[in-house]
């Protein structure tokens, strides 16, 4: 009889242990899920706030005319974010989505050649900036042979963050190709 009672107590003890361990396991799994959720949310929020930059043309010179040999735009990129970031530079023809500053139709706008260079006139494609740091660089625009004169070109200049997915800053340049015969 004693063994039967002892066996019942032992089975109850094992059952209680299973319940306790399964409860802790569930509690631990729930806590890990909550912890991971908070961590991922926190990292995403911190990252979204850490990327911020401005890209401007020096002296608000977004509009200019160019002879056949081209012109230079002086640009300033500032990292306003909380951490060091590398920005990829790119230029894209945006004639279809831009308005000419003189109100003329964009259907006859032309495409010009763009090259980013630093102050030593060396080609560049990206820049790494510390928080609060600004850097001055240039965009050299040249007129391809055979391009008609007295036409506009719009170029969207972008600095895209390597640290933050889908973050970029941009500015639009309006360049007028002058007729060298009239000047």
């Amino acid at each position: 009889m004693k063994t039967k009672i002892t066996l019942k107590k032992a089975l109850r003890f094992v059952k209680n242990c299973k319940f306790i361990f399964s409860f802790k396991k569930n509690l631990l799994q729930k806590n890990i899920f909550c912890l991971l959720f908070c961590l991922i949310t926190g990292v995403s929020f911190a990252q979204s706030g850490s990327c911020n930059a401005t890209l401007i043309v020096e002296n608000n010179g977004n509009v200019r005319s160019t002879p056949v040999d081209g012109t230079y735009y002086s640009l300033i990129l500032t990292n306003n974010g909380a951490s060091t970031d590398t920005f990829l530079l790119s230029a894209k023809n945006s004639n279809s989505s831009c308005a000419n500053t003189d109100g003329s139709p964009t259907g006859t706008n032309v495409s010009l050649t763009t090259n980013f260079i630093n102050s030593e006139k060396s080609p560049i494609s990206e820049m790494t900036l510390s928080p609060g740091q600004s850097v001055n660089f240039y965009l050299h625009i040249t007129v391809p042979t055979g391009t008609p004169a007295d036409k506009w070109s719009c170029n969207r200049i972008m600095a895209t963050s390597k640290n933050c997915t889908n973050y970029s800053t941009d500015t639009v340049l309006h360049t007028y190709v002058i007729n060298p015969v009239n000047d």
Side-chain angles (χ1 to χ4, degrees):
M1 185 83 153
K2 208 173 191 185
T3 47
K4 193 174 183 182
I5 294 173
T6 308
L7 184 59
K8 283 183 180 181
K9 285 182 180 179
L11 285 174
R12 204 173 330 143
F13 175 76
V14 170
K15 196 176 193 180
N16 288 340
C17 286
K18 281 184 180 180
F19 174 76
I20 290 170
F21 286 116
S22 70
F23 178 73
K24 283 187 178 180
K25 184 178 177 185
N26 287 339
L27 186 62
L28 184 61
Q29 285 174 343
K30 288 177 185 174
N31 285 341
I32 287 175
F33 175 74
C34 290
L35 183 63
L36 285 175
F37 178 75
C38 291
L39 183 64
I40 290 169
T41 305
V43 167
S44 296
F45 179 74
Q47 192 178 48
S48 68
S50 69
C51 293
N52 187 359
T54 55
L55 177 63
I56 61 168
V57 180
E58 194 169 44
N59 299 321
N60 294 319
N62 291 57
V63 180
R64 65 180 56 192
S65 59
T66 183
V68 177
D69 59 349
T71 191
Y72 291 88
Y73 284 92
S74 178
L75 298 148
I76 301 168
L77 177 62
T78 304
N79 180 1
N80 300 316
S83 60
T84 298
D85 201 348
T86 299
F87 296 91
L88 301 173
L89 303 174
S90 62
K92 177 174 118 174
N93 177 295
S94 61
N95 287 329
S96 62
S97 62
C98 134
N100 293 336
T101 58
D102 65 356
S104 62
T106 59
T108 60
N109 283 15
V110 294
S111 294
L112 303 178
T113 305
T114 58
N115 294 299
F116 294 102
I117 56 175
N118 60 19
S119 58
E120 291 83 37
K121 298 203 177 190
S122 299
I124 54 173
S125 61
E126 65 181 46
M127 296 182 170
T128 301
L129 287 89
S130 300
Q133 182 181 5
S134 293
V135 67
N136 186 277
F137 63 100
Y138 303 93
L139 179 72
H140 184 209
I141 292 193
T142 55
V143 181
T145 305
T147 300
D150 300 323
K151 301 291 180 189
W152 284 98
S153 178
C154 292
N155 292 288
R156 181 176 174 214
I157 310 307
M158 294 170 287
T160 304
S161 169
K162 276 189 167 181
N163 288 356
C164 296
T165 310
N166 298 326
Y167 180 80
S168 66
T169 183
D170 64 1
T171 190
V172 176
L173 306 178
H174 303 269
T175 309
Y176 186 73
V177 179
I178 60 174
N179 189 339
V181 176
N182 294 340
D183 294 328

